[in-house]
Amino acid sequence: MRKTRLDMDRIRAARRAIDPIFLDTPLYRCEALEPGLGCAVSIKLETANPVRSFKGRGTEVIASRLADSGERAVVCASAGNLGQALAWSGRERGLDVTVVASRFAPATKLDRIRALGAGLELVDGDFDMARERAAALARNDGIRLVEDSLDIETCEGAATIGLELLGATPTFDAVLIALGGGALATGVGRVVKALAPGVEVICVQPLGAPAMTHSWRGRRVVTTDSTNTIADGVAGRRPIPAVLDDLLLVADDAVLVRETSIIAGMRMLLDHAGLVVEPSAALGIAAILEDRDRFAGRHVVTIVCGSNVDVDAYHRWVGAAGAAPAGAAGAALTGGS
């Protein structure tokens, strides 16, 4: 394959920098899901860790390198999950962490960032506005800016999930990956295409936040003016060109799913797997629900990537599975990582 920014030797080395608490997460076939989906489904559970998302893999790599180099301060923009992960990894290494987020982000995520000891600055806008503010703070204060998906450590940390998938048996036919900024998709996709090119890499994004999917399909960066989805973790408006270039090399397909399908996926994961997940983590199940014929008779892996969800919102969504999501327009302001 043509060369991406991600390097297989660095991906293997990343495992040595990552706290083992984030590694070797559960991977199991969930037979209870299969009658409703019409295919064999295995779950890679990336929520059983201190920050309840896969983001800790990347922030562990970043924080270990910053500590080794003697840097003491770092800033990032986040919709909540990256901020929690960087706060956790930075605290473990004595780093001064600042997180910039939208004040409309889920309160549970913001509260956890504060509880982990990071400074938190809120902006009156969406994730992309937070990204601009974080970049300004980094310039003004002369500190390291962490940009999810652009910083290769975030992608190569996530790529260690791919190593674990391919080290397991039995083998599988396709992997469904939530698509937002692209760190998870490019990381896992890079490993899968290098070591098991016959496995289909399918990225999944909400219909209400389609920028990266439209960019992948058009092979050029496509931006949107707004987003409208409950899946706050994947709702960016402005894809990063270098990340799109990587995604074009490792993704076989990118699909969009409806909000009702995301909610139905969350409900299925609760009812049949006992998992409370945030909307982004249900995108893989949503993709199967919307195209059962495509996956019929195949063995599919879906990465359950996060479980940091507002409890009240979760009950509203899941308690009315199949109904139009209340407050989806308001959730549009929370997109990002």
Side-chain angles (χ1 to χ4, degrees):
M1 62 183 291
R2 287 178 291 156
K3 190 173 180 60
T4 74
R5 297 181 304 143
L6 286 78
D7 178 79
M8 289 298 297
D9 289 337
R10 289 200 307 261
I11 292 167
R12 293 186 178 97
R15 283 183 59 88
R16 297 192 292 272
I18 298 171
D19 188 310
I21 203 166
F22 294 102
L23 297 174
D24 301 312
T25 52
L27 171 65
Y28 58 94
R29 183 169 169 179
C30 187
E31 294 185 20
L33 284 169
E34 295 174 6
L37 296 176
C39 61
V41 180
S42 288
I43 288 171
K44 180 64 167 166
L45 189 61
E46 287 295 306
T47 63
N49 62 58
V51 298
R52 302 199 302 193
S53 82
F54 77 95
K55 298 286 187 180
R57 293 180 184 249
T59 59
E60 282 290 282
V61 179
I62 290 171
S64 65
R65 292 179 181 173
L66 287 174
D68 289 346
S69 68
E71 294 188 61
R72 299 263 62 91
V74 61
V75 60
C76 76
S78 175
N81 285 349
L82 179 72
Q84 289 179 71
L86 188 59
W88 192 92
S89 297
R91 185 185 66 178
E92 297 301 299
R93 293 166 178 82
L95 301 177
D96 180 12
V97 176
T98 299
V99 178
V100 183
S102 166
R103 68 176 64 256
F104 304 104
T108 52
K109 295 183 178 183
L110 301 180
D111 290 344
R112 186 60 181 156
I113 290 169
R114 294 186 185 99
L116 288 167
L120 181 63
E121 179 173 326
L122 301 178
V123 298
D124 291 315
D126 63 5
F127 170 73
D128 288 293
M129 183 177 291
R131 206 161 78 179
E132 293 171 0
R133 176 57 181 162
L137 286 175
R139 287 193 303 270
N140 294 339
D141 298 343
I143 60 176
R144 167 68 186 271
L145 171 66
V146 171
E147 294 190 78
D148 196 28
S149 303
L150 180 59
D151 283 6
I152 201 65
E153 298 98 330
T154 62
C155 305
E156 291 177 344
T160 60
I161 297 170
L163 295 177
E164 294 169 18
L165 287 176
L166 296 178
T169 55
T171 57
F172 51 94
D173 301 306
V175 57
L176 293 163
I177 310 172
L179 178 61
L184 183 61
T186 60
V188 174
R190 172 69 172 95
V191 173
V192 169
K193 287 306 170 187
L195 302 181
V199 173
E200 191 175 18
V201 175
I202 304 170
C203 305
V204 190
Q205 199 164 37
L207 189 63
M212 185 62 101
T213 296
H214 286 333
S215 298
W216 182 87
R217 291 175 178 176
R219 305 189 68 83
R220 62 179 181 84
V221 170
V222 176
T223 62
T224 60
D225 293 330
S226 63
T227 61
N228 186 13
T229 179
I230 62 172
D232 59 284
V234 294
R237 296 185 289 108
R238 303 173 188 168
I240 298 170
V243 182
L244 175 61
D245 290 343
D246 292 334
L247 190 68
L248 288 169
L249 294 174
V250 302
D252 294 300
D253 200 3
V255 301
L256 298 170
V257 295
R258 297 185 297 271
E259 298 293 292
T260 51
S261 298
I262 298 171
I263 293 171
M266 293 169 69
R267 181 62 179 268
M268 289 190 75
L269 287 166
L270 176 63
D271 289 347
H272 301 298
L275 298 175
V276 175
V277 305
E278 59 189 83
S280 301
L283 288 170
I285 301 298
I288 302 172
L289 287 171
E290 292 203 2
D291 198 354
R292 286 181 174 87
D293 289 345
R294 175 176 186 170
F295 300 103
R298 304 175 75 190
H299 183 185
V300 178
V301 170
T302 184
I303 300 171
V304 175
C305 55
S307 63
N308 292 299
V309 63
D310 178 84
V311 173
D312 291 337
Y314 181 84
H315 286 307
R316 288 198 305 273
W317 301 328
V318 173
L333 290 172
T334 64
S337 303

Coordinates of all heavy atoms in Angstrom, one line a residue, residues 62-139:
I62 N 1.5 10.4 24.0 CA 1.9 11.8 24.0 C 2.5 12.2 25.3 O 3.5 12.8 25.4 CB 0.6 12.6 23.7 CG1 0.2 12.5 22.2 CG2 0.9 14.1 24.0 CD1 -1.1 13.1 21.9
A63 N 1.8 11.8 26.4 CA 2.3 12.3 27.7 C 3.6 11.7 28.1 O 4.5 12.3 28.7 CB 1.2 11.9 28.8
S64 N 3.8 10.4 27.7 CA 5.1 9.8 28.0 C 6.3 10.5 27.3 O 7.4 10.7 27.8 CB 5.1 8.3 27.7 OG 4.9 8.1 26.3
R65 N 6.0 10.9 26.0 CA 7.1 11.6 25.2 C 7.3 13.0 25.8 O 8.4 13.5 25.8 CB 6.7 11.6 23.8 CG 6.7 10.2 23.1 CD 6.3 10.2 21.7 NE 6.3 8.9 21.1 CZ 5.9 8.5 19.9 NH1 5.4 9.5 19.1 NH2 6.0 7.3 19.5
L66 N 6.2 13.7 26.2 CA 6.4 15.0 26.7 C 7.2 14.9 28.0 O 8.1 15.8 28.3 CB 5.0 15.6 27.0 CG 4.2 16.1 25.8 CD1 2.8 16.6 26.2 CD2 4.9 17.2 25.1
A67 N 6.9 14.0 28.9 CA 7.6 13.9 30.1 C 9.1 13.5 29.9 O 10.0 14.1 30.6 CB 6.9 12.8 31.0
D68 N 9.3 12.7 28.9 CA 10.7 12.3 28.6 C 11.5 13.5 28.1 O 12.7 13.6 28.3 CB 10.7 11.2 27.6 CG 10.3 9.9 28.2 OD1 10.2 9.7 29.4 OD2 10.0 8.9 27.4
S69 N 10.8 14.4 27.4 CA 11.5 15.6 26.8 C 11.6 16.7 27.8 O 12.2 17.8 27.5 CB 10.8 16.0 25.5 OG 9.5 16.6 25.9
G70 N 11.0 16.6 28.9 CA 11.1 17.7 29.9 C 10.0 18.7 29.8 O 10.0 19.7 30.6
E71 N 9.1 18.6 28.9 CA 8.0 19.6 28.8 C 7.0 19.4 29.9 O 6.8 18.3 30.4 CB 7.3 19.4 27.4 CG 8.2 19.8 26.2 CD 7.4 19.8 24.9 OE1 6.4 20.7 24.8 OE2 7.7 19.0 24.0
R72 N 6.5 20.5 30.4 CA 5.6 20.4 31.6 C 4.2 20.8 31.4 O 3.4 20.7 32.3 CB 6.3 21.3 32.7 CG 7.7 20.8 33.1 CD 7.6 19.9 34.4 NE 6.9 18.7 34.2 CZ 7.4 17.5 33.8 NH1 8.7 17.5 33.5 NH2 6.7 16.4 33.8
A73 N 3.9 21.4 30.2 CA 2.5 21.9 30.0 C 2.0 21.5 28.6 O 2.8 21.5 27.7 CB 2.5 23.4 30.2
V74 N 0.7 21.3 28.6 CA 0.1 20.9 27.3 C -1.4 21.4 27.3 O -2.0 21.5 28.3 CB 0.2 19.4 27.2 CG1 -0.6 18.7 28.3 CG2 -0.3 18.9 25.8
V75 N -1.9 21.7 26.1 CA -3.3 22.1 25.9 C -3.9 21.3 24.8 O -3.2 21.0 23.8 CB -3.4 23.6 25.7 CG1 -2.6 24.0 24.4 CG2 -4.8 24.1 25.7
C76 N -5.2 21.1 24.9 CA -5.9 20.4 23.8 C -7.4 21.0 23.8 O -7.9 21.5 24.7 CB -6.0 18.9 23.9 SG -7.1 18.3 25.2
A77 N -8.0 20.8 22.6 CA -9.4 21.0 22.5 C -10.1 19.6 22.5 O -9.6 18.7 22.1 CB -9.8 21.7 21.2
S78 N -11.3 19.6 23.1 CA -12.0 18.3 23.3 C -13.5 18.5 23.5 O -13.9 19.5 24.0 CB -11.4 17.6 24.5 OG -12.1 16.4 24.8
A79 N -14.2 17.5 23.0 CA -15.6 17.4 23.3 C -15.8 16.7 24.6 O -16.9 16.6 25.1 CB -16.4 16.7 22.2
G80 N -14.7 16.2 25.2 CA -14.8 15.5 26.5 C -13.9 14.3 26.7 O -13.2 14.2 27.7
N81 N -13.9 13.4 25.7 CA -13.2 12.2 25.9 C -11.6 12.4 25.8 O -10.9 11.9 26.6 CB -13.6 11.1 24.9 CG -15.0 10.5 25.2 OD1 -15.5 10.7 26.3 ND2 -15.6 9.8 24.3
L82 N -11.2 13.1 24.8 CA -9.7 13.4 24.7 C -9.3 14.2 25.9 O -8.2 13.9 26.5 CB -9.4 14.1 23.4 CG -7.9 14.5 23.3 CD1 -7.1 13.2 22.9 CD2 -7.7 15.5 22.2
G83 N -10.1 15.1 26.3 CA -9.7 15.9 27.5 C -9.6 15.1 28.8 O -8.6 15.3 29.5
Q84 N -10.5 14.2 29.0 CA -10.4 13.3 30.1 C -9.1 12.4 30.0 O -8.4 12.3 31.0 CB -11.6 12.4 30.2 CG -12.8 13.0 30.6 CD -14.0 12.0 30.6 OE1 -14.0 11.2 31.5 NE2 -14.9 12.1 29.7
A85 N -8.9 11.9 28.9 CA -7.7 11.0 28.7 C -6.4 11.8 28.9 O -5.5 11.3 29.5 CB -7.7 10.4 27.3
L86 N -6.3 13.0 28.3 CA -5.1 13.8 28.5 C -4.9 14.2 29.9 O -3.8 14.2 30.4 CB -5.1 15.0 27.5 CG -3.8 15.8 27.5 CD1 -2.6 14.9 26.9 CD2 -3.9 17.0 26.5
A87 N -6.0 14.5 30.6 CA -5.9 14.9 32.0 C -5.4 13.7 32.8 O -4.5 13.9 33.7 CB -7.3 15.3 32.5
W88 N -5.9 12.5 32.5 CA -5.4 11.3 33.3 C -4.0 11.0 33.0 O -3.2 10.8 33.9 CB -6.3 10.1 32.9 CG -6.1 9.0 33.8 CD1 -6.8 8.7 34.9 CD2 -5.1 7.9 33.7 NE1 -6.4 7.5 35.5 CE2 -5.4 7.0 34.8 CE3 -4.1 7.6 32.8 CZ2 -4.6 5.9 35.0 CZ3 -3.3 6.5 33.0 CH2 -3.6 5.6 34.1
S89 N -3.6 11.0 31.7 CA -2.2 10.7 31.4 C -1.2 11.8 31.8 O -0.1 11.5 32.3 CB -2.1 10.5 29.8 OG -2.8 9.4 29.4
G90 N -1.7 13.0 31.8 CA -0.8 14.1 32.2 C -0.6 14.1 33.7 O 0.5 14.4 34.2
R91 N -1.7 13.9 34.5 CA -1.6 13.8 35.9 C -0.6 12.7 36.4 O 0.2 12.9 37.3 CB -3.0 13.5 36.5 CG -3.1 13.5 38.0 CD -4.4 13.1 38.5 NE -4.7 11.7 38.2 CZ -5.8 11.1 38.6 NH1 -6.8 11.7 39.3 NH2 -6.0 9.8 38.3
E92 N -0.6 11.6 35.7 CA 0.3 10.5 36.1 C 1.7 10.9 35.8 O 2.6 10.2 36.4 CB -0.1 9.2 35.2 CG -1.5 8.7 35.5 CD -1.7 8.3 36.9 OE1 -1.0 7.4 37.4 OE2 -2.6 8.9 37.6
R93 N 2.0 11.9 35.0 CA 3.4 12.2 34.7 C 3.7 13.7 35.1 O 4.7 14.2 34.6 CB 3.6 12.0 33.1 CG 3.5 10.6 32.7 CD 3.4 10.4 31.2 NE 3.4 9.0 30.9 CZ 2.3 8.2 30.9 NH1 1.1 8.8 31.3 NH2 2.3 7.0 30.5
G94 N 2.9 14.3 35.9 CA 3.2 15.6 36.4 C 3.1 16.7 35.4 O 3.7 17.8 35.6
L95 N 2.2 16.6 34.4 CA 2.1 17.6 33.4 C 0.9 18.5 33.8 O -0.1 18.1 34.4 CB 1.8 17.0 32.0 CG 2.8 16.0 31.5 CD1 2.3 15.5 30.1 CD2 4.2 16.7 31.3
D96 N 1.1 19.8 33.4 CA 0.0 20.8 33.6 C -0.9 20.8 32.3 O -0.4 21.2 31.3 CB 0.7 22.2 33.8 CG -0.4 23.3 34.0 OD1 -1.5 23.0 34.2 OD2 0.0 24.5 33.9
V97 N -2.1 20.3 32.5 CA -3.0 20.1 31.3 C -4.1 21.1 31.3 O -4.8 21.3 32.4 CB -3.6 18.6 31.4 CG1 -4.6 18.5 30.2 CG2 -2.5 17.6 31.3
T98 N -4.3 21.7 30.2 CA -5.5 22.6 30.0 C -6.3 22.0 28.9 O -5.8 21.6 27.8 CB -5.0 24.0 29.6 OG1 -4.2 24.6 30.7 CG2 -6.2 24.9 29.4
V99 N -7.6 22.0 29.1 CA -8.5 21.5 28.1 C -9.5 22.6 27.7 O -10.1 23.3 28.6 CB -9.3 20.3 28.6 CG1 -10.3 19.8 27.6 CG2 -8.4 19.2 29.0
V100 N -9.7 22.9 26.4 CA -10.7 23.8 26.0 C -11.8 23.0 25.4 O -11.6 22.1 24.6 CB -10.1 24.8 24.9 CG1 -11.1 25.8 24.5 CG2 -8.8 25.4 25.4
A101 N -13.1 23.4 25.8 CA -14.2 22.6 25.3 C -15.4 23.6 25.2 O -15.4 24.7 25.6 CB -14.6 21.6 26.4
S102 N -16.4 23.1 24.4 CA -17.7 23.8 24.3 C -18.4 23.7 25.6 O -18.5 22.7 26.3 CB -18.5 23.2 23.2 OG -19.8 23.7 23.3
R103 N -19.0 24.8 26.0 CA -19.8 24.8 27.3 C -21.1 24.0 27.1 O -21.8 23.6 28.0 CB -20.2 26.2 27.7 CG -21.1 27.0 26.9 CD -21.4 28.3 27.5 NE -20.2 29.2 27.7 CZ -19.6 29.4 28.8 NH1 -19.9 28.8 29.9 NH2 -18.5 30.2 28.8
F104 N -21.4 23.6 25.8 CA -22.5 22.7 25.5 C -22.2 21.2 25.5 O -23.0 20.4 25.3 CB -23.1 23.1 24.2 CG -23.5 24.5 24.1 CD1 -22.7 25.4 23.4 CD2 -24.6 25.0 24.8 CE1 -23.1 26.8 23.3 CE2 -25.0 26.4 24.7 CZ -24.2 27.3 24.0
A105 N -20.9 20.9 25.8 CA -20.5 19.5 25.9 C -21.2 18.8 27.1 O -21.6 19.5 28.0 CB -19.0 19.4 26.1
P106 N -21.4 17.5 27.0 CA -22.0 16.8 28.2 C -21.4 17.2 29.5 O -20.1 17.1 29.7 CB -21.8 15.4 27.8 CG -21.8 15.3 26.3 CD -21.0 16.6 25.9
A107 N -22.2 17.5 30.5 CA -21.7 18.0 31.8 C -20.9 16.9 32.5 O -19.9 17.2 33.2 CB -22.8 18.4 32.7
T108 N -21.2 15.6 32.2 CA -20.5 14.5 32.9 C -19.0 14.5 32.4 O -18.1 14.2 33.2 CB -21.2 13.2 32.6 OG1 -21.4 13.1 31.2 CG2 -22.5 13.1 33.3
K109 N -18.8 14.8 31.1 CA -17.5 14.8 30.6 C -16.7 16.0 31.2 O -15.5 15.9 31.5 CB -17.5 14.9 29.1 CG -18.1 13.6 28.4 CD -18.0 13.7 26.9 CE -18.6 12.4 26.2 NZ -18.5 12.5 24.8
L110 N -17.3 17.1 31.2 CA -16.6 18.3 31.7 C -16.3 18.2 33.2 O -15.2 18.5 33.7 CB -17.5 19.6 31.5 CG -17.9 19.9 30.1 CD1 -18.7 21.1 30.0 CD2 -16.6 20.1 29.2
D111 N -17.2 17.6 34.0 CA -17.0 17.4 35.4 C -15.8 16.4 35.6 O -15.0 16.6 36.5 CB -18.2 16.8 36.1 CG -19.4 17.8 36.2 OD1 -19.1 19.0 36.0 OD2 -20.5 17.4 36.4
R112 N -15.7 15.4 34.8 CA -14.6 14.4 34.9 C -13.3 15.1 34.6 O -12.3 14.7 35.2 CB -14.9 13.2 34.1 CG -13.9 12.1 34.3 CD -14.0 11.6 35.7 NE -13.0 10.5 35.9 CZ -12.4 10.2 37.0 NH1 -12.7 10.9 38.1 NH2 -11.6 9.2 37.1
I113 N -13.2 15.9 33.6 CA -12.0 16.6 33.3 C -11.5 17.4 34.5 O -10.3 17.4 34.8 CB -12.2 17.6 32.0 CG1 -12.4 16.7 30.8 CG2 -11.0 18.5 31.9 CD1 -12.9 17.5 29.6
R114 N -12.4 18.1 35.1 CA -12.0 18.9 36.3 C -11.6 18.0 37.4 O -10.6 18.3 38.1 CB -13.2 19.7 36.8 CG -13.7 20.8 35.8 CD -14.8 21.7 36.5 NE -15.3 22.7 35.6 CZ -16.5 22.5 34.9 NH1 -17.2 21.4 35.1 NH2 -16.9 23.5 34.1
A115 N -12.3 16.9 37.6 CA -12.0 16.0 38.7 C -10.6 15.3 38.5 O -9.9 15.0 39.5 CB -13.0 14.9 38.8
L116 N -10.1 15.2 37.3 CA -8.8 14.7 37.0 C -7.7 15.7 37.1 O -6.5 15.4 36.9 CB -8.8 14.0 35.6 CG -9.6 12.7 35.5 CD1 -9.8 12.3 34.1 CD2 -8.9 11.6 36.3
G117 N -8.1 16.9 37.5 CA -7.1 17.9 37.8 C -6.6 18.8 36.7 O -5.7 19.7 36.8
A118 N -7.3 18.8 35.5 CA -6.9 19.6 34.4 C -7.6 21.0 34.5 O -8.7 21.1 35.1 CB -7.3 19.0 33.1
G119 N -7.0 22.0 34.0 CA -7.7 23.3 33.8 C -8.7 23.2 32.7 O -8.4 22.6 31.7
L120 N -9.8 23.8 32.8 CA -10.9 23.7 31.8 C -11.3 25.1 31.4 O -11.8 25.9 32.3 CB -12.0 22.9 32.3 CG -13.2 22.7 31.4 CD1 -12.8 21.9 30.2 CD2 -14.4 22.0 32.1
E121 N -11.2 25.4 30.1 CA -11.7 26.7 29.6 C -12.9 26.4 28.6 O -12.7 25.5 27.7 CB -10.6 27.5 28.9 CG -11.1 28.8 28.3 CD -10.0 29.6 27.7 OE1 -8.9 29.6 28.3 OE2 -10.3 30.3 26.7
L122 N -14.0 27.0 28.8 CA -15.2 26.8 28.0 C -15.4 27.9 27.0 O -15.2 29.1 27.3 CB -16.4 26.6 28.8 CG -16.3 25.5 29.9 CD1 -17.6 25.5 30.7 CD2 -16.1 24.2 29.2
V123 N -15.8 27.5 25.8 CA -16.1 28.5 24.7 C -17.6 28.4 24.4 O -18.2 27.4 24.5 CB -15.3 28.3 23.5 CG1 -13.8 28.4 23.8 CG2 -15.6 26.9 22.8
D124 N -18.1 29.6 23.9 CA -19.5 29.6 23.5 C -19.7 29.2 22.0 O -20.1 30.0 21.2 CB -20.1 31.0 23.7 CG -20.2 31.4 25.2 OD1 -20.7 30.5 25.9 OD2 -19.8 32.5 25.6
G125 N -19.4 28.0 21.7 CA -19.5 27.5 20.4 C -19.2 26.0 20.3 O -19.3 25.3 21.3
D126 N -18.9 25.5 19.1 CA -18.7 24.1 19.0 C -17.2 23.7 19.1 O -16.4 24.4 19.5 CB -19.3 23.6 17.6 CG -18.6 24.2 16.4 OD1 -17.5 24.9 16.6 OD2 -19.0 24.0 15.3
F127 N -17.0 22.4 18.8 CA -15.6 21.8 18.9 C -14.6 22.6 18.1 O -13.5 22.8 18.5 CB -15.6 20.4 18.5 CG -14.3 19.8 18.4 CD1 -13.5 19.5 19.6 CD2 -13.7 19.5 17.2 CE1 -12.2 19.0 19.5 CE2 -12.4 19.0 17.1 CZ -11.7 18.7 18.2
D128 N -15.0 23.0 16.9 CA -14.0 23.7 16.0 C -13.7 25.0 16.6 O -12.5 25.5 16.4 CB -14.6 23.8 14.6 CG -14.6 22.4 13.9 OD1 -13.5 21.9 13.6 OD2 -15.7 21.8 13.7
M129 N -14.6 25.7 17.2 CA -14.2 26.9 17.9 C -13.3 26.7 19.1 O -12.3 27.4 19.3 CB -15.5 27.6 18.4 CG -15.2 29.0 19.1 SD -16.7 29.9 19.6 CE -17.4 30.3 18.0
A130 N -13.5 25.6 19.8 CA -12.6 25.2 20.9 C -11.2 24.9 20.4 O -10.2 25.2 21.0 CB -13.2 24.0 21.6
R131 N -11.2 24.3 19.2 CA -9.9 24.0 18.6 C -9.1 25.2 18.3 O -7.9 25.3 18.5 CB -10.1 23.2 17.3 CG -9.0 22.3 16.8 CD -9.4 21.2 15.9 NE -9.6 21.7 14.5 CZ -10.0 21.0 13.5 NH1 -10.3 19.7 13.7 NH2 -10.1 21.5 12.3
E132 N -9.8 26.3 17.8 CA -9.1 27.5 17.5 C -8.6 28.2 18.8 O -7.5 28.7 18.8 CB -10.1 28.5 16.8 CG -10.5 28.0 15.4 CD -11.7 28.9 14.8 OE1 -12.1 29.8 15.5 OE2 -12.1 28.6 13.7
R133 N -9.4 28.1 19.8 CA -9.0 28.7 21.1 C -7.8 28.0 21.7 O -6.8 28.6 22.2 CB -10.1 28.7 22.1 CG -9.8 29.2 23.5 CD -9.2 30.6 23.4 NE -8.9 31.1 24.8 CZ -8.1 32.1 25.0 NH1 -7.5 32.8 24.1 NH2 -7.8 32.5 26.3
A134 N -7.8 26.7 21.6 CA -6.7 25.9 22.1 C -5.4 26.2 21.4 O -4.3 26.4 22.0 CB -7.0 24.4 22.0
A135 N -5.5 26.4 20.1 CA -4.3 26.8 19.3 C -3.8 28.1 19.7 O -2.6 28.4 19.8 CB -4.6 26.7 17.8
A136 N -4.7 29.1 20.0 CA -4.3 30.4 20.4 C -3.6 30.3 21.8 O -2.5 31.0 22.0 CB -5.5 31.3 20.5
L137 N -4.1 29.5 22.7 CA -3.4 29.4 24.0 C -2.0 28.8 23.8 O -1.1 29.2 24.5 CB -4.3 28.5 24.9 CG -5.6 29.1 25.5 CD1 -6.3 28.0 26.2 CD2 -5.3 30.3 26.4
A138 N -1.9 27.8 23.0 CA -0.6 27.2 22.8 C 0.4 28.2 22.2 O 1.6 28.3 22.7 CB -0.7 26.0 21.8
R139 N 0.0 29.0 21.3 CA 0.9 30.1 20.7 C 1.2 31.1 21.8 O 2.4 31.5 21.9 CB 0.2 30.8 19.5 CG 0.1 29.9 18.3 CD -0.3 30.8 17.1 NE -1.5 31.5 17.3 CZ -2.8 31.0 17.0 NH1 -2.9 29.8 16.5 NH2 -3.8 31.7 17.2

